[in-house]
């Protein structure tokens, strides 16, 4: 059993391909990556850093010191145990709140100052040596950039565009600059002094003036609010290119938001005190009136002192009168509340009479619920429209609570009136029993009873007023700043990430360039490389030679040289290639000039002639003939062109050379229309005659990549030899050759690789080469053996 030979994972061919790619493209990343790194660094340097400041607020804080007051007892400061954080987020992001912040900071936010450097422009919030105060400005100048230049210690100059026209205004520090469209005052600040003015004059300043709407919009757009799950904490973040400004804005936002939350509580407290004071004034007037009545009555009836005979009647009647007064006060409170509900007054304020009667039960809870829902509706109106489902739900709930309250008020009023009727009957009963008391005694009793009732009510209101005053001192916001505004650092752009992306793009671009060069632009540098690209037979490999003259024939001048040996190998390969059809006519061409086409033709013809074969070399590059120079001859006056025109016969133009068995048909005079000579039927006769009279016919033609002459002449030959050069030939040349073969049905196309730096041992030499140029009618090359 024969062992199966294992195939290597990576073959020598793969390694050679990889080495060739690396060798020819190693410089690509070394050029691309530093360039892109420099571009990326410059781009990143020009980017403006964006900072983020943040603060944290805790909602629903119950840090109240004094709890025993008329308001807290009734629960009207409590908005419920649940805080709708979504509503609070909308309030914080509302236009009105941002507008109040901007108004408080307008002097610091309205003008932005910049220092313009050679590469980038930087905004400065502090440290600018001057300050601009805006009195009035044309709205068209908002958000426009003004150039500011310090001329000297007392003078400055501003430049700007007005309707596309450059304008320049000069002004003096600390003196108003008054113009039709601009009224400003520029004052010196900080480091501005006579000693520093010269240095400040060299700095290029700019400033821009912002409208209130722009500032409000900027705050709203750059603000984000996060609510951690299952908490009443709001994290407020604000982005800004100046971190100090972001911290200042958030600090002011906390203050404004807290003050707005306090405002409602203070107004409710104040209204309650005003109501109590008004009631106290009325009762004081009533007490004074009663005292005057008592005094007048006693003086009129000369009463000095009376022993009340029926003190029991007095105390009972007084108690019932007190109950009746309380019932009347409650009835008035119910009327006030009913009027408030029916008239749908300001939802932020309940009628003060509601807080006087200390009651508990359904009405207190329902009133508190109505108040909470009205406050919530008012908040939602700040951030939503009328058609918002939340508003509709709140309105429906408010309507239901009002209906329930109205029913309860009506029932309570009936019960109160019925109770008052019972009290009146009791009072009437005791009064009738007191009729037995002498008239004077009865009159004094009535006056005293009224005085007692008013005194009790007066004391009650004084107590409530004191409680409300104490409550005012204990009012604090129901939010707490648990983390003061502070700078979180740069949040964007991510410069290292951008630089990494640029370098990644550089690596990708390098790979793409290498791939493009490998598949489209890389030169064919070796025999193996050529074999990877095509299956066409390679019959000759010529080394790269540095020194070879513009005249002469290499195989004749150095018959024992390596280049001569390569042509002998070339001759042998041709014989083996055409062993079946005995080809004797060869056409030699290339894709472009300077690839060694004519050099190959001459030396091939010479080496065939040296083998004893009668060989004819045709100079059919009628556009730019060069063969005659190799034989040390001038441009011939007779040749192929004169034969085609009938001036000479075939035998007349056949020129023997100094090489035995080698003859030439030179071009002759260069015609004005060479391609038409190639297409003539006479040329076919010349080639046919040459085939009959000579053992080998070698035809030198123009480059196929420039002119179609050679492609046309292939039909007259047995084989076509396409010369490739390692300095110029690439994959596109192979594609060109294969397209020619496919389009013209060419059967026998042979390849020659010229200019190889290192030829393998199979060709019996190594490390030699040659060079030459190709002169052509359109400026290609400098001729054979051209030296710089």
């Amino acid at each position: 059993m024969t062992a199966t030979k294992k195939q290597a994972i990576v073959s020598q061919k793969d390694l050679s391909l990889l080495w060739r790619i690396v060798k020819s493209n190693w410089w690509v990343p070394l050029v691309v990556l530093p360039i892109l790194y420099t571009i990326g660094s410059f781009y990143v340097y020009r980017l403006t850093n964006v900072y983020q400041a943040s603060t944290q607020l805790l909602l629903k804080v119950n840090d109240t010191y004094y709890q025993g007051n008329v308001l807290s007892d009734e629960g009207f400061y409590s908005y419920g145990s649940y805080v709708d954080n979504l509503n609070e987020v909308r309030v914080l992001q509302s236009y009105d709140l941002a507008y109040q912040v901007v108004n408080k900071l307008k002097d610091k936010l309205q003008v932005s100052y910049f220092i313009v450097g050679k590469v980038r422009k930087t905004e400065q919030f502090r440290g600018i040596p001057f300050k601009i105060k805006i009195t009035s400005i044309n709205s068209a100048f908002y958000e426009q950039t003004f150039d500011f230049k310090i001329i000297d210690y007392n003078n400055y100059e501003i430049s700007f565009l007005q309707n596309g026209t450059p304008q320049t205004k000069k002004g003096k520090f600390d003196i108003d600059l008054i113009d039709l469209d601009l009224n400003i005052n520029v004052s010196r600040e900080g480091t501005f002094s006579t000693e520093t003015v010269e240095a400040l004059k060299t700095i290029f300043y700019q400033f821009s003036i912002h409208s209130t709407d722009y500032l409000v919009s900027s705050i709203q757009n750059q603000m984000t609010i996060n609510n951690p799950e299952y908490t009443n904490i709001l994290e407020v973040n604000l982005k800004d290119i100046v971190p100090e400004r972001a911290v200042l804005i958030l600090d002011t936002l906390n203050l404004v938001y807290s003050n707005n939350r306090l405002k409602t509580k203070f107004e409710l407290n104040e209204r309650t005190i005003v109501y109590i004071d008004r009631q106290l004034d009325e009762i004081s007037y009533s007490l004074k009136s009663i005292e005057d009545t008592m005094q007048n009555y006693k003086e009129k009836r000369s009463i000095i002192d009376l022993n009340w005979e029926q003190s029991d009647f007095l105390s009972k009647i007084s108690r019932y009168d007190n109950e009746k007064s309380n019932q009347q006060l409650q009835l008035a409170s119910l009327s006030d509340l009913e009027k408030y509900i029916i008239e749908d007054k300001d939802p932020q304020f309940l009628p003060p009479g509601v807080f006087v009667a200390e009651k508990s039960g359904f009405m207190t809870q329902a009133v508190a619920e109505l108040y909470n829902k009205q406050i919530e509706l008012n908040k939602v109106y700040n951030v939503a429209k009328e058609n918002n489902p939340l508003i509709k739900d709140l309105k429906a709930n408010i309507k239901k609570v009002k209906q329930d309250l109205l029913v309860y008020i009506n029932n309570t009023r009936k019960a109160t009136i019925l109770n008052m009727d019972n009290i009146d009957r009791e009072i009437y009963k005791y009064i009738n029993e007191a009729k037995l008391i002498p008239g004077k005694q009865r009159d004094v009793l009535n006056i005293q009873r009224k005085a007692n009732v008013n005194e009790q009510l007066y004391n009650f209101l004084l107590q409530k007023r004191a409680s409300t005053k104490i409550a005012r001192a204990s009012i604090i916001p129901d939010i707490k700043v648990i983390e003061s505004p502070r700078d979180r650092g740069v949040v964007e752009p991510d410069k290292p990430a951008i630089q990494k992306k640029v370098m990644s793009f550089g690596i990708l671009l390098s790979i793409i360039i290498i791939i493009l060069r490998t598949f489209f632009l890389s030169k064919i540098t070796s025999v193996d490389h050529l074999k990877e690209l095509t299956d066409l037979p390679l019959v000759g490999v010529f080394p790269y030679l540095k020194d070879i003259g513009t005249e002469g024939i290499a195989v004749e001048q150095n018959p024992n040289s390596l280049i001569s040996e390569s042509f002998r190998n070339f001759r042998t390969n041709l014989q083996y290639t055409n062993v079946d059809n005995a080809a004797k006519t060869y056409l030699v061409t290339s894709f472009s000039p300077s690839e060694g086409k004519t050099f190959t033709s001459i030396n091939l013809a010479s080496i065939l002639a040296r083998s004893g074969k009668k060989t004819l070399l045709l100079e059919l590059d009628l556009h730019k003939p060069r063969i005659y120079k190799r034989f040390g001859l001038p441009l011939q006056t007779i040749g192929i062109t004169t034969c085609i025109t009938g001036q000479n016969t075939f035998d007349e133009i056949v020129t023997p050379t100094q090489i035995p068995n080698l003859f030439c048909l030179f071009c002759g005079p260069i015609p004005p229309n060479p391609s038409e000579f190639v297409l003539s039927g006479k040329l076919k006769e010349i080639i046919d005659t040459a085939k009959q009279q000579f053992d080998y016919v070698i035809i030198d033609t123009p480059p196929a990549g420039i002119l179609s002459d050679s492609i046309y002449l292939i039909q007259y030959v047995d084989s076509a030899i396409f010369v490739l050069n390692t300095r110029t030939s690439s994959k596109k040349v192979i594609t060109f050759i294969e397209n020619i073969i496919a389009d013209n049905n060419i059967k026998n196309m042979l390849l020659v690789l010229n200019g190889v730096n290192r030829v393998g041992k199979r060709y019996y030499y190594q490390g030699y080469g040659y060079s030459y140029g190709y002169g052509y009618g359109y400026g290609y090359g400098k001729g054979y053996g051209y030296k710089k």
Side-chain angles (χ1 to χ4, degrees), residues 409-525:
I409 289 171
N410 187 51
N411 293 337
T412 304
R413 182 187 289 110
K414 290 179 181 180
T416 302
I417 293 173
L418 182 61
N419 194 20
M420 287 177 63
D421 291 338
N422 292 333
I423 292 174
D424 287 339
R425 283 195 295 272
E426 292 294 327
I427 292 174
Y428 181 74
K429 181 182 71 173
Y430 285 110
I431 289 175
N432 288 334
E433 291 179 356
K435 286 181 179 179
L436 300 175
I437 299 174
K440 290 182 181 181
Q441 191 176 12
R442 186 175 56 250
D443 293 340
V444 171
L445 178 62
N446 289 334
I447 296 172
Q448 187 64 42
R449 186 181 65 242
K450 291 179 180 180
N452 290 339
V453 169
N454 281 276
E455 285 177 359
Q456 292 177 5
L457 184 56
Y458 187 85
N459 292 333
F460 170 77
L461 291 176
L462 282 178
Q463 180 184 359
K464 291 302 179 183
R465 189 179 188 281
S467 298
T468 305
K469 281 285 189 180
I470 295 173
R472 183 179 184 87
S474 65
I475 293 175
I476 62 171
D478 52 0
I479 64 168
K480 178 185 285 187
V481 178
I482 60 175
E483 185 174 303
S484 299
R486 62 188 181 93
D487 177 23
R488 296 281 188 177
V490 178
V491 293
E492 59 184 51
D494 190 346
K495 293 185 178 181
I498 294 174
Q499 193 72 292
K500 288 179 182 178
K501 289 180 180 178
V502 172
M503 295 306 294
S504 300
F505 174 75
I507 295 173
L508 179 62
L509 181 61
S510 300
I511 294 173
I512 292 174
I513 292 175
I514 292 173
I515 292 174
L516 293 176
R517 282 176 48 81
T518 301
F519 285 96
F520 300 104
L521 300 177
S522 64
K523 303 299 184 291
I524 301 172
T525 58

Side-chain angles (χ1 to χ4, degrees), residues 295-312:
Q295 184 67 27
N296 292 333
Y297 183 81
K298 287 183 178 182
E299 290 178 354
K300 184 177 180 181
R301 289 169 173 75
S302 300
I303 297 175
I304 298 175
D305 184 20
L306 293 175
N307 294 320
W308 302 97
E309 295 179 355
Q310 298 183 4
S311 58
D312 184 58

